[in-house]
Amino acid sequence: MNENSISNVQNPPCVLCQRTDDCPEKYGEKRIYETYNLAVHYYCLLMSSGIWQRGEEDEGFYGFLINDIRKEVNRAAKLKCNICKKKGASIGCVMPKCKRSYHFPCGVQRECIFQFMENFGSYCWDHRPVQKLPPGESRGSSQCTICLEFIEHLPQYNILKSPCCKNAWFHRDCLQYQALSAGVFFFRCTVCNNKDKFQKEMLRLGIHIPEKDASWELEENAYQDLLQCYEHCDIRRCLCRNGRDYNEPDSEWEIKRCQYCGSRGTHLACSSMQSWEQNWECSECRSIFAKSGNYQNQQKRSLATSEKIEGNGCLDEPSPKCPRQSPGPQHSFLVRFTPSRSPKVLCQNNLTPCSRLDHPASNRMVMSISPLISSSSRIQSVRKKQLRMQRKEVSNILNELRLQINAKTTRLNINIDDIWSSALKGFRGRNFNPASTIEINFTNLKGRLKTDTICGSKHDFFQLLMLHLQNSSLFEGSSLKNLSLDSQALKENLYYEAGKMIAVSLVHGGPAPGFFSKTLFNCLVYGPENVKPTVEDVTDVDVAQTIKMIKSSKTLANLKSTISERYDYLTAAGCVRPIMTLYDKNALVNDLLIYQVIKRIISPFESFKQGLKTLGVLEKIQIHSDAFSSILCHKPERLSAELLGDLFTIHCSSRVNNAKGIDYWMGYLQDVECGESAATLEDILVFATGNTSIPPIGFEPKPSVKFLNIKFPVGKRHLNCLEIPITNEYEKFKNTMDFTIKRTLRLERE
């Protein structure tokens, strides 16, 4: 199968896990074969229990033949996933007596171990390999040597110990993030630089080490900043008339850098230096060395050179299944060996760390060979781009669901002063049908009746409704919320109505809630039995304090004392258990979190879940979880000149100067974004469409801009069209736009 058979036009789900996600760092490369109506994730295929590579590397999907893939899909169709309870579980635990099967993404969520080596074994949550503390080694805490956050010395799935250094502990996510960046040739212990022993243990524990060179070696001009010298005079009183950044070599205005840190500088004349040969230290370094008492004897130390990289790492031994490089033509890797043929061979594309992974809590990465050059702004830019792609995917999905909406009209009379009661009355009405076109009549607007069957009024209604739900007693938390336990609301079936309203809002062009916590979202996608809440999910201050006290207990006596003080609460929660050792506190904390965040609100959750099934929304959320998390767990993207410029399609006319119109329009958006205009970007969007934000489903029809020979701009909201005048001067154009938009919106509010 050649590359021409692969199409990226559509995004069908993987035939094994039924997910549309296309994130190579999490699920491996996704390959789509239009000819065979087949799409599959590489890791889903690689970890499947009933398929082997019987073809050559350029056949099928890196040796997996199309017919074999179909046979594996048919085999998996008979197996139910023990996690999501759906069919298609192609991966089984390798323990002989274990009958558990699951999808690859479900296994990752449930903390199963997938070993990317040898026979590519998979272990369920009960049989996965674990680390143990050596006999006599005391418990304690130290910093993760990658993100520098403190972690407790207790080996578990998310906390790993170095096999070669006694006090080196890591978060699993930190190690995985570093492995994807460093690759097999540079991934090693961050403390002692051991490679063989360290990689062998990490592979056993399910850390994926891609067969590639380090990302910082592949990035073009990655070290360009290191070639730039600091050129700025930091002396309090700079004498140079040309400014602090002026540097003239071989003169008194040449800049001399601090001999120790190199990050401070001075003009020779500003520090009364006679020649370049004189040493100069900045005030910070001078202060540090003076305090050490050894200022006169300080000498710069050169960086120790790293050990020479050899090609005989732990992955270099031939085995039945052995990682190797992908033959993709667009990538160039440093390959150190060629493995023998095997039933399954891991083919790895050029990967960079994916922001969908849980990143380490700090950007301060400790790399053993070369620093990971990655700024927070670049990470934010990548994350922003991914959110846009995910929201575009959500828009396509919601537009498919909108096909259910018929032309029959359902009218809701909404009291602007009592959104909730009037909305509840409308949604519970005998004639209400979520599949009918919704028309909103706002009442109590200074004695007037406002009717708008287009989108402005409807969007306002759903926006006010989502705001009410966020601040209602149905949810608890600060910015990101979980469901709360309100007995009266449960009795009145309000949780069901809330879920129903959110589903209707999404399909009918309203905003998304944007305030779901990750725990609530994961419960909806994977089921509450497969979710592990955290202390941050607990909103009750006393309960949270109790859990923290139990978790931080240093001695068995202290732990038993805390339990005795809160015995009544533990009894009510059904979490009383015998405490024999200090290690028992972890199971107790887990039980308390599950009770407080999940079991306690299971009835409201099931009711809320049923409401979300309206119009098929919940099913789409579960299938496209990564995409929907971008709108349910995140607020809408802040409007920008770039975003509005992309949103509005420009319709050119032969009667006007379109080049001037485009120039004026884009310049105006930039001025508005920079605050150099009386209007705001939100004002422009409201003027043209009636919406204060871009709904997840998008606009229908698509927003457009027309340049006409008119005196004032016109917003045709039923068409989402903005008609713009063409003037001789830009300032006149800008003033006309500001005046009309602000005056129109002010009159509407009055």
Side-chain angles (χ1 to χ4, degrees), residues 7-64:
S7 173
N8 294 322
V9 177
Q10 299 177 343
N11 189 25
C14 169
V15 293
L16 291 171
C17 71
Q18 297 303 313
R19 299 200 182 198
T20 60
D21 308 65
D22 189 4
C23 183
E25 294 76 13
K26 290 181 68 175
Y27 308 126
E29 178 187 352
K30 183 179 180 181
R31 189 71 68 90
I32 302 173
Y33 296 91
E34 281 192 335
T35 306
Y36 302 101
N37 192 25
L38 183 148
V40 64
H41 290 125
Y42 187 45
Y43 293 171
C44 294
L45 196 58
L46 192 68
M47 290 296 168
S48 293
S49 304
I51 187 171
W52 303 94
Q53 288 163 302
R54 298 192 304 113
E56 297 297 326
E57 191 169 328
D58 58 350
E59 292 183 279
F61 193 178
Y62 298 135
F64 290 102

Side-chain angles (χ1 to χ4, degrees), residues 233 235 237-240 252-253 266-273:
C233 180
I235 298 300
R237 196 171 202 178
C238 180
L239 305 177
C240 183
E252 61 180 347
W253 303 119
T266 177
H267 290 114
L268 297 182
C270 295
S271 293
S272 301
M273 299 174 64

Side-chain angles (χ1 to χ4, degrees), residues 198-218:
F198 185 76
Q199 286 194 5
K200 184 176 181 180
E201 176 68 358
M202 294 305 112
L203 285 168
R204 184 181 75 90
L205 297 173
I207 297 298
H208 177 212
I209 309 173
E211 173 65 24
K212 71 180 189 68
D213 211 344
S215 60
W216 58 84
E217 298 289 345
L218 300 173

Side-chain angles (χ1 to χ4, degrees), residues 131 161-166 168 170 194 197-199 201-202:
Q131 292 179 305
K161 182 183 183 300
S162 172
C164 45
C165 293
K166 181 179 179 181
F170 314 89
N194 180 283
K197 188 175 180 180
F198 185 76
Q199 286 194 5
E201 176 68 358
M202 294 305 112

Side-chain angles (χ1 to χ4, degrees), residues 717-730:
R717 294 177 178 174
H718 62 292
L719 298 175
N720 293 325
C721 179
L722 178 60
E723 295 181 349
I724 295 179
I726 298 298
T727 59
N728 294 328
E729 297 179 355
Y730 173 73

